Amino acid sequence: MAIIILAIESSCDETSASVIKDGKVLNNVVATQSVHQEYGGVVPELASRAHQQSIVPVVDKAMKEAGVLSSELSAIAFTRGPGLLGALLVGTSFAKSMALALDIPLIDVNHMQAHILAHFIDDPKPKFPFICLTVSGGHTQLVLVKDYTNLEVIGQTKDDAVGEAFDKAAKMLGLTYPGGPLIDKYAKLGDPTKFEFPNTSMPGLDYSFSGIKTAILYFLRDELKKDPDFIKNNINDLAASIQFALIKMLMNKLKRAAREHNIKEIAIAGGVSANSGLRKALENMKEEKRWNVYVPDFQYCTDNAGMIAIAAHFKYLAKEFVGLEVGPMARMPIGVKS
Ligand code: KG4
Ligand code: ZN
């Protein structure tokens, strides 16, 4: 009998549902919340309400598009964490109710693990062990992936996530939330060497992005005193220089991790892996370091239920189910067993 799983993602500001059949993701329906734009960041309470409004139509669309009846489902999967508690609660409660009503197993998925396992949706797939640089709005991690469920964090940010640094820098430039994609857009037209921002590094394989954020803030403040139109006149070069500095920091530690662990299978995952500068930097490593690089399809970079579905498929095969007493976890370390 076919293994058919409905997966739900609701950890931040995307409500998403996906149906997977025998390990093949059939679809990936995503409703992005626009309500946060005017606030310059995700407002947790508004996110929860928007999830409540979207979850039924999004799940309905995924099921109809896949041509699957609820009676055919083998299991229901959901993002348990990490994420915004209220937002996670919507997906968790929905999944639990559906599993209870259909009397089928329930599968909890770690969002960060799912970002990494998104590499197993399509070909080419990385070979174990590989290193994944996971870069999102809430996380920046270097993960040694030994198996689908055996993952070890070998480095991570001690303060802001790199996506947050992109978004905060964009906000300083007067761009709307989420600013990462806009920095990427303007950076394509600018000179990355025009302005220099500090490499605020940590010892070992850890990251820190709060220092560079402050440096950008002070730099802009000083320049605006001299020329009130400084940002307007230099937006492309500013975006390119900021992006260049952030990517350099990401790549330095990634190269170090690859060297220390003697691994040439390198992947990136998470929202910031959609960044064209990072993709290019990684692409260059194919030649320079003879790395085999893996970059996910755009739709599987930012938050989506397709990645929850593939992670759930592996858990289904391992019979890793949870009971109805399960609750969401705002903080959920990677590799934690239920
Ligand atoms: O993984 P994700 O969708 O959500 C979280 O789990 O956080 O990542 C969202 C982050 C945001 O900070 C957004 O600005 C950033 O990914 N992002 C980008 C790009 N696309 C999304 N950052 C830089 N360049 C992009 N093209
Ligand atoms: Zn994410």
Side-chain angles (χ1 to χ4, degrees):
M1 218 172 65
I3 303 169
I4 308 176
I5 303 169
L6 166 70
I8 294 162
E9 152 67 29
S10 75
S11 67
C12 192
D13 58 345
E14 262 95 20
T15 317
S16 181
S18 166
V19 178
I20 185 169
K21 185 174 182 182
D22 288 332
K24 187 173 173 359
V25 173
L26 298 184
N27 59 11
N28 181 35
V29 179
V30 184
T32 301
Q33 304 175 358
S34 55
V35 62
H36 309 289
Q37 262 179 13
E38 62 183 290
Y39 301 97
V42 177
V43 183
E45 180 57 29
L46 293 179
S48 313
R49 288 169 195 229
H51 282 305
Q52 274 178 327
Q53 278 174 354
S54 308
I55 197 155
V56 172
V58 164
V59 167
D60 193 48
K61 189 163 179 225
M63 293 291 285
K64 285 206 175 108
E65 262 184 25
V68 165
L69 299 172
S70 49
S71 57
E72 294 173 284
L73 289 173
S74 317
I76 310 282
F78 66 99
T79 305
R80 185 175 179 190
L84 302 168
L85 198 61
L88 290 166
L89 196 55
V90 177
T92 306
S93 311
F94 190 94
K96 279 161 71 168
S97 324
M98 216 164 151
L100 177 69
L102 297 170
D103 195 18
I104 53 176
L106 186 61
I107 301 171
D108 67 330
V109 172
N110 180 304
H111 181 90
M112 299 314 295
Q113 196 162 336
H115 267 303
I116 297 170
L117 294 181
H119 283 286
F120 295 92
I121 295 176
D122 292 322
D123 286 328
K125 301 179 173 88
K127 287 175 267 313
F128 299 117
F130 66 92
I131 291 175
C132 189
L133 170 66
T134 312
V135 277
S136 73
H139 290 79
T140 305
Q141 293 181 327
L142 281 164
V143 184
L144 178 59
V145 189
K146 299 170 197 162
D147 197 351
Y148 300 113
T149 52
N150 187 354
L151 305 94
E152 184 192 339
V153 177
I154 53 174
Q156 61 190 322
T157 180
K158 292 294 171 195
D159 40 58
D160 289 356
V162 67
E164 225 175 325
F166 266 103
D167 294 339
K168 285 179 180 167
K171 200 174 168 184
M172 293 179 220
L173 298 178
L175 306 174
T176 50
Y177 179 85
L182 292 173
I183 296 224
D184 193 358
K185 187 177 135 199
Y186 289 113
K188 285 186 184 132
L189 307 168
D191 173 5
T193 62
K194 181 77 182 282
F195 306 108
E196 203 176 322
F197 295 106
N199 181 343
T200 52
S201 181
M202 294 289 285
L205 294 175
D206 288 334
Y207 290 105
S208 165
F209 292 102
S210 68
I212 185 171
K213 182 186 68 187
T214 314
I216 296 168
L217 182 73
Y218 289 162
F219 172 76
L220 291 176
R221 191 193 58 185
D222 293 346
E223 293 299 326
L224 285 168
K225 270 189 210 151
K226 291 182 247 166
D227 171 13
D229 287 331
F230 179 75
I231 293 179
K232 207 172 95 200
N233 294 336
N234 294 283
I235 186 75
N236 296 337
D237 293 339
L238 280 167
S241 302
I242 291 169
Q243 179 167 302
F244 179 78
L246 291 172
I247 288 169
K248 197 168 168 196
M249 284 160 75
L250 289 176
M251 291 303 294
N252 281 349
K253 295 292 165 119
L254 181 56
K255 282 189 238 175
R256 183 172 172 162
R259 198 173 59 237
E260 284 180 4
H261 289 267
N262 196 21
I263 286 177
K264 288 192 184 294
E265 292 283 299
I266 309 288
I268 53 171
V272 182
S273 60
N275 184 272
S276 55
L278 179 59
R279 286 171 171 243
K280 212 163 149 202
L282 207 69
E283 202 58 28
N284 291 341
M285 290 300 120
K286 280 186 178 172
E287 276 281 296
E288 199 182 316
K289 304 261 181 217
R290 302 257 168 252
W291 284 359
N292 294 322
V293 304
Y294 302 89
V295 178
D297 196 82
F298 276 109
Q299 64 166 322
Y300 301 125
C301 284
T302 44
D303 290 347
N304 67 89
M307 66 184 197
I308 306 301
I310 192 81
H313 178 75
F314 294 125
K315 287 192 96 172
Y316 187 93
L317 295 179
K319 296 206 168 19
E320 286 184 29
F321 305 128
V322 280
L324 289 169
E325 70 288 350
V326 68
M329 287 171 80
R331 289 169 177 273
M332 186 180 185
I334 233 169
V336 154
K337 298 266 178 204
S338 314

